[in-house]
Amino acid sequence: MTIRTGSLPDKGSLPRWARIAVVVYLSVTVAVVGAALLTSSFETDLDATVREWLMRSVVILTLPVSAAYFAVGFLLDSSGPPSGLLSPTAVLYYLGYVALAVVNAALFRWMILSIRKPVPAAGTPGTLPQGPGVTMRGVTRKVRNLWWTVPLAVLLSLPQWLVAGFAWCGISGCSGGGFGVATGTEWLAVTMSVVNGFIFAVAVFAVPWLYPTGRRALIALAAGTLFGLLGAAVTHG
């Protein structure tokens, strides 16, 4: 009997649309990082608002791993990212965002390859029987992995919660005591809350614990939204 292997998909390769998405994502990120570096290093006709939005675009493109990276830089130097005529510090700072984009691309690849794993068919040894009850619920044995992915997501959200707590109203909080209420950085708190919601949603969706995938995506979206809103409410207190 002849076995045809040419038509079998490579388990370690991404589908074409995913490869295109990775190339486009990395290309756009490198272009925006380069534009942000040049505008911060040279005198241009761009106003401060455009430069600020370029920097925000860099952070947003490299979320969620850029949240802590940007937050640390923001707290250490409130005047903004390093500037100067292409100084080594500025170049290294912006290259850090390119490295974060590579990390995001690697995580995306891992997620796609995990999702592409075939669902166990009926009659396969060591798999759940595909009876009517299991088909209705669609829960697999991998649901136990949520016991460590969800706590890990909460743990990864703690730095963003800390930053958001200061960003809402300042070091004295929103009650107005101490140094008083400080405004102007609410957007950072909102961004941190969105990042936390995204991290939580990924933790729920990345584990193939429920099929069909669309149902798992809806549950992950709802869980991430609620988690982000909860974090915003807690840190704004």
Side-chain angles (χ1 to χ4, degrees):
M1 181 177 62
T2 303
I3 300 176
R4 298 181 180 179
T5 58
S7 60
L8 295 177
D10 187 0
K11 295 182 180 181
S13 64
L14 293 175
R16 182 179 180 184
W17 67 268
R19 294 196 298 269
I20 294 175
V22 169
V23 172
V24 171
Y25 167 71
L26 291 177
S27 301
V28 171
T29 303
V30 170
V32 175
V33 169
L37 174 60
L38 293 178
T39 55
S40 65
S41 301
F42 298 98
E43 292 294 334
T44 61
D45 296 333
L46 298 177
D47 56 17
T49 303
V50 176
R51 295 182 182 182
E52 181 180 354
W53 274 105
L54 274 175
M55 192 62 214
R56 291 186 184 183
S57 299
V58 170
V59 177
I60 293 173
L61 280 170
T62 51
L63 287 174
V65 290
S66 63
Y69 185 77
F70 174 78
V72 170
F74 183 85
L75 293 177
L76 293 179
D77 186 7
S78 60
S79 62
S83 60
L85 189 60
L86 289 180
S87 64
T89 303
V91 173
L92 289 176
Y93 178 82
Y94 283 96
L95 284 179
Y97 284 103
V98 176
L100 296 181
V102 174
V103 173
N104 274 345
L107 291 175
F108 175 76
R109 181 180 184 277
W110 173 78
M111 289 177 57
I112 295 299
L113 293 179
S114 299
I115 294 171
R116 292 186 71 198
K117 290 181 180 180
V119 183
T124 303
T127 61
L128 291 176
Q130 299 298 308
V134 176
T135 303
M136 289 291 294
R137 289 172 291 187
V139 179
T140 69
R141 292 177 178 176
K142 292 187 178 181
V143 68
R144 68 187 67 177
N145 291 334
L146 294 177
W147 285 106
W148 67 267
T149 59
V150 171
L152 178 62
V154 176
L155 182 63
L156 293 176
S157 299
L158 294 181
Q160 286 78 248
W161 276 3
L162 178 63
V163 174
F166 289 111
W168 279 120
C169 301
I171 193 171
S172 299
C174 298
S175 61
F179 297 99
V181 177
T183 59
T185 56
E186 293 86 354
W187 64 270
L188 180 59
V190 173
T191 302
M192 296 296 102
S193 300
V194 173
V195 169
N196 284 342
F198 179 79
I199 293 175
F200 196 86
V202 169
V204 176
F205 178 77
V207 178
W209 63 276
L210 178 66
Y211 289 97
T213 306
R215 187 187 305 175
R216 190 169 78 247
L218 290 177
I219 294 177
L221 179 62
T225 301
L226 292 176
F227 186 75
L229 292 175
L230 175 64
V234 170
T235 56
H236 194 274

